[in-house]
Amino acid sequence: MKNLVRVFFIIAAMLVIYSSAAAQGKLGVIGKIFPHEKADALFGKVTQSVQISTDELKGVIAKAKDYVFLTIKNNRAVVTNEKRESLIGNRVVPTQDETMHFFSKSKLTELLQGTSSTSVSIELRGATLTLSTMESTMDLMSACPPVCL
């Protein structure tokens, strides 16, 4: 009987660990939020920036699976899912060889919950992409290629 209880608890613990890992997506949580004031020191100066409304990004979170892919193309925001299908109304779609930067949905949600901004800046800073609100900046994304889902 004791062995049966022990096996039950081991299986239950494994299910809890697996479900929490699966909730983060294949690559875990991607992205980190920094105070807005540190962005230039950490990531360099903004070389290009476009705005997207926080409401539109909230809609993106509802449509995406685990990660949201972003870039700037022709001075417009490009926001896609893992299959490079547009998640916003402008329908700008990247080619397969264009680099997209992706963040976890959970980090994007955290960024939006911590702001009173009505829009978010998608910013290119050299080879990196950041998302900024009035209060904070998010980076430590992953680039695709080379790391694609």
Side-chain angles (χ1 to χ4, degrees):
M1 184 66 169
K2 288 181 182 180
N3 285 338
L4 184 60
V5 171
R6 186 176 297 152
V7 168
F8 173 76
F9 281 116
I10 291 171
I11 291 172
M14 290 172 56
L15 287 173
V16 168
I17 291 169
Y18 173 76
S19 65
S20 66
Q24 297 174 10
K26 292 178 187 176
L27 301 175
V29 175
I30 296 177
K32 182 168 177 159
I33 299 171
F34 299 90
H36 187 62
E37 308 81 45
K38 293 185 178 184
D40 286 345
L42 291 170
F43 313 117
K45 297 280 183 197
V46 174
T47 56
Q48 187 177 9
S49 176
V50 296
Q51 301 289 313
I52 187 167
S53 77
T54 53
D55 288 339
E56 195 163 23
L57 278 178
K58 289 176 184 175
V60 163
I61 292 168
K63 294 176 191 175
K65 185 176 176 186
D66 295 314
Y67 302 100
V68 176
F69 290 69
L70 303 110
T71 197
I72 298 173
K73 182 177 181 177
N74 300 328
N75 212 31
R76 294 169 66 189
V78 179
V79 184
T80 72
N81 62 16
E82 290 94 341
K83 297 176 182 176
R84 293 187 177 235
E85 299 166 334
S86 181
L87 296 176
I88 59 175
N90 70 10
R91 302 281 183 230
V92 177
V93 179
T95 62
Q96 289 299 317
D97 60 336
E98 285 182 271
T99 299
M100 298 287 291
H101 306 272
F102 62 99
F103 298 95
S104 298
K105 276 177 50 168
S106 61
K107 281 298 178 183
L108 186 53
T109 299
E110 185 180 334
L111 179 73
L112 296 179
Q113 287 175 342
T115 188
S116 59
S117 298
T118 58
S119 66
V120 174
S121 296
I122 301 173
E123 304 163 332
L124 287 176
R125 298 170 182 258
T128 194
L129 182 133
T130 58
L131 297 179
S132 292
T133 64
M134 290 187 309
E135 300 84 8
S136 16
T137 296
M138 184 167 67
D139 192 18
L140 300 185
M141 53 62 198
S142 191
C144 170
V147 179
C148 298
L149 303 173

